[in-house]
Amino acid sequence: MKPTLGLYGIQDRQDHARPMETHDHGLCLTASGEVLWSLELERLTRRKHDNHLPRHLDELVRPGDASLPRDFRVALVDSFVGRALVSARGLWRFEPNGRWHLSSRLQRGLGHVHHRDVETWLVPHELAHLGACLPFYGNFEDGALCVHLDGGASLSSVSVWLHRERRFRKLHSSWQLFEAVTNFANNNLVQAMTGHAWFEHQAVPGKLMALASYGQPEPEVLAWLRHHGWFRDIRDRLDIPTRAAHEAFGWTGTWTWEDPLVRTIAACVQAEFTRQVLRLLAHWRQRTGARSLYLSGGAALNIVLNDELARSGLFDSVRVPPCASDSGLALGAAALVDFLEGADIRPRGPFLQRFGSDIDMASSHGLAARAVSHLAAGQVLAVCQGAGECGPRALGHRSLLALPTEALRTRVSVEMKGREPYRPVAPIALPEEADRLFEGRPSSSELARFMLRSFPATEECRRLAPGVVHVDGTARVQVVPEHEPELAWLRHVLELLRREHSVPCLINTSFNGRGEPLVHTRQDALATARRLGVDALVLGDELMDVSNGTKS
C-alpha cells in the first residue's frame, strides 16, 4: 500500500484578505492507516483559517525530501466551489476525470506532481469529514450511522451514510439544514450581534454558541425571526431589524451582547439548529436501527448540540473528531482512502500536527514540579510541547493553564487574549476529579477526551473551581485519560496539584492571541508568550520565566 498524501487546497472564487468560501487548507501523510504527519496550513503561515495552499505547496513539500517519499498517491478533497487544484508554479496539478456526483465510490482524478503522473483519488468533501473520525476512533463500526453536517461541502450541507464492511451506503444528502447551520456564521444580524463584519464570518460560531447561554429561546421571538427570514441578508442595514424589533416588541436597545433581545435571539438560533439536527438524526436512527453515530463537519463542533445528543439516548455512542471542521479534511481524506483499501486503523490521540515543528515532549518530573509551583502561586503557564493538537481546541500541547478562579479566568481570557467577557474557558481534569466536579460522568464520555461536550457543574465545582463554570452552570470538560502517553506530563502536573495544593482542575485555553492560530513553533511560542504577558512558559523540556527569559 503506497503512502497517501491527503490534500485540501481548493482555491476560493475570490482573492479576499480573509478566507471566504474555502478555508482551513491542510496536508496529511499516512502509511497503511498510520498518520506520519499532518499540517493545518494556518499553523505555519499564521493566517487564521488560511486558504492559500496553492501558493505554498511548491515550497512546502517535494517528492523525495524528508517529509514525502518519491512514490505516493494523493487523496484530493473537493469543495462546492470546485474540484481542481493547481499550485503557484504549476508543479502540483490535479483535476477531475468524469462527472461530479456524490458517491461512496471514490473517483479517479488526474494528478501530476513535479513532472510525474501520480495516482489520484477525488474524495468528496462530505466523506473526508467522516474520514476524520478514523485516526481518533479507529475503524468504523459495522451498522453505524455516519453523518456529515456543515455549511457547504461539495454537493450538500448534510449527508447521511450507513457503514457496513468498509462500504458506505448513501441514505440522504441535501441542503435542507443549510440555513440552520449557516445562521451561526453567515447571518448578517448574528455577525453584527457578535461585533463582526460580514467578511469575518469564520470568527462568529463559537461566540454565538457562548452568547446563547445567556438567553432563553422565546416562541414569540422565534416566530418573528422566521417571519423575517432570520434577517440573514441585511449586510450593513441594521436599521431593518432595529425598526422591525421596535414595531414588534417596542425594543429600543442596542445590538450588543448585554442586550436582553440579543441574548434571546442567540438562544433562538441555537435552539432552532439543535431542534432540526436532532429531528434529522432521530429519523435516520429509526429508519436504520443504528446504535452508533459518527458525526463530523464544522457544525459537529457545537457543544450544545453534542450535549443534547449525548443526553437524548438516541445512540449508544456518539463520536466526533477533534478536527471536525475543514481543518480535518486532508487528514480525513488520507485516512479514508487507506481504510477503504483495507488498512486497520488504530485510534490514537489528537497530537498529529508535527510538520514544520520540532519541539520536544516535556518528560521530566522535576519540570512538572516547577510548573506546579508557578501555577500554585497564581501564575499563568503557557505550554508548547511535542506535536500540536488537531482542530481548533487546545488539548494540552498548545495551552494556557491557570488555577480555576474567576480572577484568573478574566486575566487569561479577557485581559491577555482579548476575548469577550461572555465567553467561557474550559477545565482540564483527571478522570476521577472530573466525575467529582461534574454530573454525567465525564470520564466515560469519548467526547470529553477532545473537549467536545459540556457537563453540569456540581455545587462542589462551583465552590472549588468557579472560573471554569459558564453562566448556564456547565463546563466544556477535557478529561486527561491514563492511557494517553502524550499527556503523561500534564497528568503528573494535575496529580501534584491535587496532592500538594488540593486543586481539582485547571483552566485550559488555547495558546494564541486574538484572531491567531495556535502557536506551532518555538519562535511562535516565545513571541506569543511575551506579547500576551504570561508568567512562565514550558517549551519542550524547558521551563522559563517569560519576563526575563531565564530558565527556572
Side-chain angles (χ1 to χ4, degrees):
M1 186 182 295
K2 292 181 182 178
T4 306
L5 180 68
L7 286 176
Y8 177 56
I10 302 302
Q11 292 160 286
D12 221 331
R13 290 185 290 197
Q14 51 188 310
D15 189 13
H16 197 273
R18 296 173 184 264
M20 298 301 292
E21 294 163 313
T22 66
H23 50 88
D24 294 302
H25 284 177
L27 310 86
C28 174
L29 185 68
T30 62
S32 300
E34 180 72 18
V35 179
L36 303 181
W37 55 258
S38 184
L39 173 68
E40 295 165 23
L41 183 63
E42 65 169 27
R43 305 289 175 87
L44 275 187
T45 64
R46 314 307 301 156
R47 179 179 185 255
K48 189 71 172 172
H49 302 298
D50 200 342
N51 64 344
H52 286 161
L53 181 61
R55 297 185 184 182
H56 301 283
L57 189 53
D58 293 312
E59 311 304 326
L60 274 177
V61 286
R62 183 183 184 90
D65 68 10
S67 302
L68 187 64
R70 287 197 59 79
D71 194 19
F72 62 94
R73 61 185 173 185
V74 168
L76 182 69
V77 185
D78 63 14
S79 166
F80 67 91
V81 304
R83 308 179 77 197
L85 187 158
V86 181
S87 65
R89 293 165 52 199
L91 296 175
W92 297 72
R93 302 178 63 88
F94 305 98
E95 56 187 306
N97 184 23
R99 186 172 60 89
W100 198 350
H101 63 276
L102 181 55
S103 167
S104 61
R105 294 176 63 88
L106 303 186
Q107 290 181 275
R108 287 273 194 173
L110 302 176
H112 196 69
V113 177
H114 282 258
H115 315 296
R116 295 173 55 238
D117 291 335
V118 172
E119 176 187 341
T120 299
W121 292 97
L122 295 177
V123 181
H125 199 111
E126 290 85 343
L127 284 174
H129 271 312
L130 293 171
C133 294
L134 286 164
F136 311 106
Y137 297 105
N139 297 346
F140 288 107
E141 287 186 19
D142 271 0
L145 198 67
C146 302
V147 179
H148 126 270
L149 181 64
D150 67 2
S154 60
L155 294 171
S156 68
S157 63
V158 59
S159 62
V160 182
W161 312 74
L162 189 67
H163 171 262
R164 291 192 188 280
E165 298 179 348
R166 296 184 186 264
R167 294 181 181 273
F168 295 88
R169 179 163 63 92
K170 188 178 71 173
L171 305 176
H172 171 83
S173 65
S174 73
W175 295 92
Q176 74 177 70
L177 296 181
F178 177 77
E179 181 179 82
V181 173
T182 57
N183 271 345
F184 273 85
N186 296 330
N187 181 304
N188 294 154
L189 177 58
V190 167
Q191 291 163 354
M193 285 165 38
T194 54
H196 289 283
W198 66 270
F199 51 81
E200 297 175 313
H201 59 282
Q202 295 294 340
V204 174
K207 297 179 183 182
L208 183 70
M209 184 171 62
L211 182 55
S213 299
Y214 282 76
Q216 292 293 327
E218 296 179 5
E220 185 181 11
V221 175
L222 188 55
W224 174 73
L225 289 167
R226 289 172 177 161
H227 175 73
H228 287 281
W230 299 86
F231 299 100
R232 287 180 53 84
D233 301 314
I234 60 171
R235 195 54 70 95
D236 297 320
R237 292 291 308 279
L238 270 179
D239 60 299
I240 296 174
T242 299
R243 186 168 56 252
H246 179 73
E247 292 172 355
F249 312 118
W251 182 74
T252 58
T254 58
W255 298 109
T256 57
W257 77 271
E258 297 97 336
D259 188 276
L261 179 62
V262 168
R263 296 177 175 188
T264 300
I265 291 172
C268 286
V269 172
Q270 176 68 66
E272 180 71 1
F273 165 76
T274 304
R275 182 188 68 83
Q276 289 195 32
V277 175
L278 288 179
R279 184 177 63 182
L280 177 133
L281 294 175
H283 170 79
W284 288 107
R285 160 71 182 90
Q286 184 178 29
R287 286 279 302 272
T288 63
R291 297 303 307 170
S292 297
L293 173 69
Y294 294 86
L295 181 65
S296 193
L301 293 174
N302 189 287
I303 298 299
V304 177
L305 170 65
N306 293 344
D307 189 37
E308 292 282 348
L309 184 54
R311 291 191 291 108
S312 70
L314 278 174
F315 299 93
D316 294 338
S317 63
V318 177
R319 299 181 175 103
V320 179
C323 49
S325 65
D326 285 7
S327 64
L329 287 173
L331 173 67
L336 184 70
V337 168
D338 287 1
F339 175 73
L340 292 177
E341 193 169 298
D344 185 39
I345 300 181
R346 296 171 296 170
R348 57 168 304 160
F351 308 108
L352 304 174
Q353 301 292 311
R354 60 176 56 91
F355 186 98
S357 180
D358 58 355
I359 300 170
D360 297 330
M361 284 287 298
S363 57
S364 165
H365 279 202
L367 179 67
R370 295 197 300 277
V372 166
S373 68
H374 285 277
L375 290 165
Q379 295 188 349
V380 177
L381 181 72
V383 176
C384 181
Q385 58 173 270
E389 39 271 84
C390 294
R393 292 176 183 149
L395 300 173
H397 277 200
R398 301 292 189 274
S399 291
L400 296 177
L401 304 176
L403 296 181
T405 67
E406 291 182 345
L408 281 169
R409 178 193 66 80
T410 299
R411 184 187 172 204
V412 173
S413 185
V414 179
E415 297 172 7
M416 286 185 172
K417 298 184 62 175
R419 298 166 85 232
E420 293 79 2
Y422 61 81
R423 296 177 67 187
V425 293
I428 187 168
L430 301 169
E432 57 274 24
E433 291 300 312
D435 289 347
R436 179 166 71 99
L437 296 173
F438 301 96
E439 299 173 8
R441 294 194 66 239
S443 67
S444 65
S445 170
E446 292 183 282
L447 298 181
R449 288 178 57 208
F450 306 129
M451 208 189 288
L452 288 170
R453 185 187 165 189
S454 62
F455 297 86
T458 63
E459 286 302 319
E460 187 173 19
C461 179
R462 294 171 187 271
R463 179 172 56 85
L464 297 176
V468 300
V469 182
H470 195 30
V471 67
D472 63 357
T474 69
R476 189 177 65 196
V477 183
Q478 182 194 353
V479 173
V480 179
E482 295 183 25
H483 60 269
E484 176 53 78
E486 292 183 286
L487 286 177
W489 178 85
L490 186 52
R491 182 179 179 84
H492 188 51
V493 167
L494 291 167
E495 289 170 345
L496 288 174
L497 281 167
R498 177 178 61 181
R499 183 171 68 244
E500 298 178 3
H501 301 280
S502 300
V503 174
C505 67
L506 287 172
I507 286 172
N508 175 25
T509 189
S510 54
F511 186 7
N512 60 305
R514 183 183 176 95
E516 297 176 344
L518 292 176
V519 301
H520 190 59
T521 65
R522 175 177 292 268
Q523 181 179 358
D524 297 338
L526 287 167
T528 304
R530 294 188 184 109
R531 188 173 67 255
L532 296 182
V534 302
D535 301 299
L537 168 65
V538 172
L539 187 55
D541 232 0
E542 302 174 358
L543 193 152
M544 58 186 65
D545 187 313
V546 174
S547 60
N548 56 30
T550 61
K551 296 180 183 180
S552 66

